[in-house]
Amino acid sequence: MSQYLGKLHECAEKFPQTEIWMDSCGEEELNYGLARGISGATSNPVIVGAVVKKEIDLWEPKIQELIRKIPDATEDEIVWALIDEIGALRSKKLLSIFRAYHGKRGRMSIQTNAKYYRSSEKILAQAVHINSLGENIQVKIPASAAGIQAMEEATYRGISINATVSFTVAQAVAVAEAVERGLKRREREGLDISSMSPVCTLMIGRTDDWMKDYVSHAGMIINPECLEWAGIAVMKKAYGIYRERGYRTKLLSAANRNVYHWSELIGGDLAQTINYSWYTRLDRCDMEIRDQMDCPVAEEHLKQLEKIPEFRKVINEDGLTPNEFEKCHGFCATISGFIAGYEDLCGLIRAYMAPQNWVE
């Protein structure tokens, strides 16, 4: 009988430098992951909404309590009060890891309002608030031009950021440079950075989605297997740049769509956030656990991908300018999904604030 509780547990034990995170703040999901060696967790409006619905017996009394306690609150204010409650509570599950690693692991990522992606001031103000929810909080900020500006200032203020809505090498470099500026400002003023833990998420599965959408829209014929490697190519290119330049931000992969999105990154000094569904699927696979981070993407795949104009935007360091980040297909599709998830959560709260039922 195996000493491991599945493949991801084996991976965490054999390659501890390749951190595995749970892409959820749910009770069941976190308990499952913690038993198998996860060292962090992430959330966003879609995730929080799914957790509230799944755990409605737990959260319904809290929703009703918040509505009573804040009689003049808007539904948005109740939503954020609820997100704060969930984030603060579930971050405690990771505290022992956080303390054991002196802040370098064991964080819960909580996302700023996706609607703020064009305002650095609003992002920063909310980042300061979210950071106050617990000692092991990490604040997710979108990799738009305004978001990157906010990341520098948030880092300077001692906040560990997690760049999100990011899919390209250009975004990864811009994020790392912004964090370096913030860290250096702190160092010049003698402020502590020893426990800070900034990460840059690359949503590699959504990079693949972007390429597939473009190919379909343009009527191109590309070997379909090659389209499963676009995000991996971006991740490996960014990883090489980060190592070469010594950036103190850690790369984090997200949005799994296939087994490569996990297996090809094993051995890297990075993190992977994996949702519960993919986590349990990967746990049952028969993939050999071995170092593959330094294995390059096959040249034949890259040649096919280079035929796609959008791939050149995501793979090249100068493929997009910061002002173009929020206009690219991946960003627009993802931020729209996050906002839709947030509005769905507002709708759930609205059903308690303005119930559509007959009252005798």
Side-chain angles (χ1 to χ4, degrees), residues 132-150:
S132 72
L133 297 176
E135 60 183 288
N136 62 330
I137 298 297
Q138 194 170 51
V139 182
K140 295 179 81 171
I141 296 175
S144 58
I148 287 167
Q149 183 179 346

Side-chain angles (χ1 to χ4, degrees), residues 65-334:
E65 177 190 340
L66 289 169
I67 292 169
R68 287 194 304 271
K69 283 175 62 177
I70 322 173
D72 62 344
T74 65
E75 61 189 41
D76 295 89
E77 289 169 329
I78 298 297
V79 164
W80 283 104
L82 180 63
I83 291 172
D84 288 355
E85 289 270 357
I86 295 171
L89 177 65
R90 296 292 160 74
S91 70
K92 293 176 182 177
K93 285 183 168 291
L94 298 161
L95 267 178
S96 61
I97 301 169
F98 175 82
R99 290 168 180 167
Y101 283 89
H102 307 289
K104 295 301 185 182
R105 298 189 181 194
R107 291 184 180 268
M108 168 66 72
S109 281
I110 302 175
Q111 188 163 315
T112 54
N113 193 332
K115 292 184 176 182
Y116 293 168
Y117 69 92
R118 298 181 66 190
S119 172
S120 60
E121 291 184 5
K122 290 179 180 177
I123 291 171
L124 181 62
Q126 192 178 29
V128 170
H129 166 71
I130 291 172
N131 188 60
S132 72
L133 297 176
E135 60 183 288
N136 62 330
I137 298 297
Q138 194 170 51
V139 182
K140 295 179 81 171
I141 296 175
S144 58
I148 287 167
Q149 183 179 346
M151 288 176 206
E152 177 182 342
E153 184 62 26
T155 300
Y156 168 67
R157 297 192 189 192
I159 298 169
S160 290
I161 65 95
N162 178 350
T164 186
V165 202
S166 179
F167 326 86
T168 72
V169 173
Q171 285 174 293
V173 170
V175 167
E177 290 287 349
V179 170
E180 286 300 312
R181 291 193 296 270
L183 291 173
K184 288 174 181 176
R185 287 168 61 191
R186 286 185 66 81
E187 288 173 320
R188 285 196 296 269
E189 295 182 21
L191 299 173
D192 184 40
I193 65 169
S194 61
S195 63
M196 292 181 68
S197 179
V199 301
C200 176
T201 297
L202 282 173
M203 307 179 84
I204 55 179
R206 291 179 181 266
T207 303
D208 289 0
D209 294 344
W210 178 355
M211 298 305 107
K212 292 171 186 177
D213 287 348
Y214 180 83
V215 166
S216 176
H217 173 78
M220 296 179 68
I221 299 297
I222 297 290
N223 182 337
E225 170 68 8
C226 300
L227 296 172
E228 305 296 333
W229 289 86
I232 292 295
V234 167
M235 190 71 172
K236 295 198 175 198
K237 176 76 172 288
Y239 184 76
I241 291 172
Y242 271 45
R243 285 199 296 182
E244 178 184 335
R245 298 179 187 174
Y247 290 141
R248 288 172 283 185
T249 300
K250 176 171 284 191
L251 284 169
L252 171 68
S253 68
N256 288 64
R257 298 290 190 269
N258 60 52
V259 70
Y260 307 139
H261 292 154
W262 161 61
S263 63
E264 285 293 318
L265 304 181
I266 294 173
D269 183 12
L270 48 77
Q272 301 179 316
T273 184
I274 301 173
N275 71 48
Y276 190 42
S277 174
W278 265 102
Y279 206 119
T280 54
R281 288 175 66 183
L282 293 171
D283 259 351
R284 299 190 300 269
C285 78
D286 59 2
M287 181 72 66
E288 179 186 358
I289 304 299
R290 58 187 178 87
D291 188 339
Q292 299 193 79
M293 188 64 211
D294 291 328
C295 298
V297 175
E299 191 64 31
E300 62 190 272
H301 295 338
L302 292 174
K303 285 181 179 179
Q304 285 278 302
L305 289 168
E306 287 285 355
K307 296 178 182 179
I308 306 171
E310 295 294 283
F311 181 72
R312 295 194 288 274
K313 293 180 181 179
V314 304
I315 198 66
N316 293 322
E317 182 178 347
D318 58 356
L320 292 168
T321 67
N323 287 332
E324 293 174 319
F325 291 164
E326 69 192 56
K327 299 178 178 65
C328 71
H329 177 78
F331 190 101
C332 294
T334 303

Side-chain angles (χ1 to χ4, degrees), residues 51-68:
V51 167
V52 171
K53 291 173 184 176
K54 183 176 181 179
E55 302 176 0
I56 194 63
D57 289 346
L58 173 63
W59 295 111
E60 183 174 65
K62 176 55 67 175
I63 293 168
Q64 293 170 331
E65 177 190 340
L66 289 169
I67 292 169
R68 287 194 304 271

